[in-house]
Amino acid sequence: MRFEGKTAIVTGAARGIGLEIARQLAAGGATVVLVDVLEDVLAQVAQTLMTGGAKVLTYKIDVTDEAAVEKLTDEVVEKTGRLDILINNAGITRDDLLLRMEVKMWDLVMAVNLKGTFLMTKHAARPMLRQRYGRIVNLASVSGLVGNPGQANYSASKAGVVGFTRTVARELAKRGITCNAVAPGFIKTDMTDVLPEKAKDMALAAIPMGRMGTAEEVARVVAFLASDEASYVTGHVLPVDGGMAP
């Protein structure tokens, strides 16, 4: 996929799936705006991408802070002249069984995963509407489609992303803006590396393909939905899960 002349924001871009998405877009020629709270890691990632010839900007912001999000989108348009692609990838987990889950764990996951997606989309949509062009791709999860014990907060937040995606797609479609979601299953990242071996074995048993996916496999699907090749695809939620979702 080619992205020359386009500007893309990727949240949660310092590692894992976000990093691979940034690499895919940069390889296609986009100016990539890396957003994360991990400032030191973000700087290293940016340096690596720029060494390969990519055009990169970095911002350390909290996606739950509306003032910071608005400033980010305004500055990106001021510096690059446009905003074409938004990838809402920033997300966290705070797992526990329902009866042990603290309200603060619920609120934090909802704030980052769902409120952050809302705020980034709200402010990125403004320049896209003026351009009459935009690609928004949200990272949902198979947990938001089928549920997962111990993840009531995470599953609910990602189910919210699914509903949000479909609504935004309907609202913005007539202005040349698409909005889709990708729902990864068990993907080998820093987040899954820390899981107990028993949990990993249970996860593998639930995957028809018998293996975890890779961040690159998810990123390729995201890149397609962010490209002009997907110009007539909107409001879609695409599992990338090795067959887990029914």
Side-chain angles (χ1 to χ4, degrees):
M1 272 73 73
R2 307 309 303 168
F3 301 101
E4 287 92 349
K6 291 184 169 58
T7 298
I9 293 177
V10 183
T11 68
R15 59 188 180 186
I17 293 172
L19 172 55
E20 289 301 326
I21 293 169
R23 283 177 175 154
Q24 289 277 336
L25 298 178
T31 297
V32 182
V33 182
L34 309 175
V35 176
D36 210 299
V37 293
L38 302 173
E39 189 170 21
D40 293 343
V41 181
L42 204 59
Q44 295 171 13
V45 169
Q47 186 58 49
T48 300
L49 292 178
M50 286 188 289
T51 299
K55 295 163 285 187
V56 180
L57 299 173
T58 62
Y59 285 87
K60 176 185 180 294
I61 71 160
D62 178 352
V63 295
T64 70
D65 181 343
E66 183 167 18
V69 168
E70 184 174 16
K71 182 180 179 183
L72 162 68
T73 54
D74 287 347
E75 286 189 10
V76 167
V77 173
E78 182 181 342
K79 290 180 178 180
T80 70
R82 56 189 302 111
L83 175 51
D84 304 281
I85 299 165
L86 170 65
I87 311 297
N88 283 309
N89 171 73
I92 61 169
T93 58
R94 293 294 185 273
D95 297 350
D96 211 339
L97 294 174
L98 175 64
L99 296 184
R100 293 206 300 255
M101 187 173 290
E102 299 178 17
V103 172
K104 64 181 181 181
M105 296 165 66
W106 175 275
D107 289 345
L108 182 58
V109 170
M110 285 291 180
V112 175
N113 297 3
L114 189 52
K115 179 183 175 183
T117 296
F118 155 65
L119 290 176
M120 288 297 309
T121 303
K122 174 184 175 181
H123 290 284
R126 298 185 192 280
M128 291 180 180
L129 286 166
R130 292 194 295 269
Q131 295 165 181
R132 300 187 71 88
Y133 178 92
R135 298 284 183 268
I136 300 167
V137 185
N138 301 320
L139 271 293
S141 170
V142 69
S143 295
L145 301 178
V146 300
N148 194 35
Q151 287 193 318
N153 49 3
Y154 184 76
S155 297
S157 72
K158 293 301 187 177
V161 168
V162 169
F164 177 76
T165 297
R166 289 176 170 150
T167 298
V168 170
R170 288 178 174 270
E171 288 190 13
L172 304 183
K174 289 185 179 179
R175 300 300 291 271
I177 301 167
T178 66
C179 183
N180 294 286
V182 172
F186 282 93
I187 307 299
K188 185 171 176 53
T189 63
D190 292 342
M191 192 179 291
T192 56
D193 283 345
V194 300
L195 291 173
E197 288 304 315
K198 184 178 180 180
K200 291 181 183 178
D201 291 341
M202 290 176 63
L204 288 172
I207 303 171
M209 290 188 72
R211 66 172 178 85
M212 287 190 180
T214 67
E216 185 178 357
E217 288 173 315
V218 178
R220 287 198 294 263
V221 176
V222 172
F224 166 70
L225 292 173
S227 74
D228 288 339
E229 281 83 350
S231 57
Y232 201 56
V233 180
T234 196
H236 186 65
V237 180
L238 179 58
V240 183
D241 62 0
M244 288 183 66

